[in-house]
Amino acid sequence: MITPSHKVRIFVASDPVDFRKGHDGLAALVQSHLRQKPFDGSVYVFRAKRADRLKLIYWDGSGLVMAYKRLEDNSFTWPAVKNGVMRLEPAQ
């Protein structure tokens, strides 16, 4: 289980991405679409077109880590995007 500290920033891409992308493809999206640095220690969350899958990437200090989650029976509930920003509560 990944349990980030309170200081870790988490960025969620609001648009679905092509889930054939791996580490390098998602890191390129972090730079080009999110305008962030994929090797800064932040966690970057991406979702598939069907809202039942997530991919997370983060730099752990020695390499880029990718985690993948697929729900079998449900889909993730996404908050509304207002002015290009998605607000999440800590529990989410």
Side-chain angles (χ1 to χ4, degrees):
M1 172 183 256
I2 300 170
T3 55
S5 72
H6 295 301
K7 295 180 182 181
V8 172
R9 296 182 338 162
I10 301 173
F11 293 89
V12 180
S14 57
D15 294 329
V17 300
D18 179 355
F19 256 41
R20 294 175 289 183
K21 292 186 182 302
H23 296 77
D24 295 330
L26 293 175
L29 285 177
V30 169
Q31 290 178 320
S32 64
H33 287 24
L34 299 178
R35 304 279 189 240
Q36 299 294 321
K37 298 177 182 176
F39 309 108
D40 67 357
S42 298
V43 176
Y44 299 94
V45 181
F46 300 92
R47 72 176 182 107
K49 187 177 271 189
R50 294 185 301 176
D52 65 341
R53 299 157 199 231
L54 294 178
K55 279 189 180 180
L56 289 77
I57 62 167
Y58 66 96
W59 179 259
D60 72 353
S62 64
L64 198 57
V65 177
M66 182 171 59
Y68 177 85
K69 174 76 174 191
R70 183 184 72 204
L71 296 179
E72 293 297 325
D73 296 324
N74 298 314
S75 61
F76 293 98
T77 303
W78 291 87
V81 177
K82 296 178 184 174
N83 298 325
V85 176
M86 178 187 300
R87 298 276 182 216
L88 297 172
E89 298 299 320
Q92 292 174 298

